[in-house]
Amino acid sequence: MSPRRNRPRGGGRSASGSAERADRYGVERTEDWRGEEWVVRQVGGGAAGKHYRCPGCDQEIPPGVPHVVAWAQHGPVDDRRHWHRACWNARDRRSARLQRSRNAPRY
């Protein structure tokens, strides 16, 4: 008796690499905020593997928590910011009014 096969037959990856990327990192969309176009991506809990600091509430986003990544469309991708979903939805009403000290960690 042969052992059971755990991998699908057909070998290799699927033909749509972008579909796999969209499943892991979420689908990008653009939103208008403060007169700029922002690229917004929903990140699922499985793809969130690091600690981040939300600019909306200045609280930590631990690994495994679904959140939103946003950056200006015509700005550098290095300016991405990771937001809690609720903070991103309330970004006009909610902003970090606290000023962190120089020694505070920046995630």
Side-chain angles (χ1 to χ4, degrees):
M1 183 168 171
S2 299
R4 186 180 77 188
R5 210 179 256 270
N6 289 330
R7 296 185 190 148
R9 292 183 188 216
R13 298 178 162 229
S14 66
S16 61
S18 63
E20 288 178 10
R21 185 174 173 260
D23 288 343
R24 181 172 180 189
Y25 298 114
V27 178
E28 291 181 3
R29 66 181 190 278
T30 58
E31 292 186 18
D32 191 34
W33 181 47
R34 292 186 179 171
E36 288 187 73
E37 289 288 322
W38 288 75
V39 179
V40 179
R41 180 187 296 158
Q42 300 281 338
V43 177
K50 292 176 24 180
H51 289 270
Y52 299 103
R53 183 149 314 261
C54 175
C57 64
D58 202 36
Q59 298 295 314
E60 187 176 285
I61 302 173
V65 174
H67 60 277
V68 174
V69 180
W71 65 95
Q73 185 174 20
H74 299 294
V77 178
D78 293 339
D79 287 344
R80 289 182 298 213
R81 295 292 173 255
H82 296 255
W83 297 68
H84 293 107
R85 288 183 182 173
C87 294
W88 176 255
N89 291 336
R91 63 191 174 273
D92 291 329
R93 299 184 308 268
R94 180 182 299 183
S95 66
R97 290 177 178 82
L98 300 173
Q99 295 293 322
R100 290 193 303 264
S101 69
R102 290 182 152 193
N103 297 333
R106 297 189 64 111
Y107 295 107

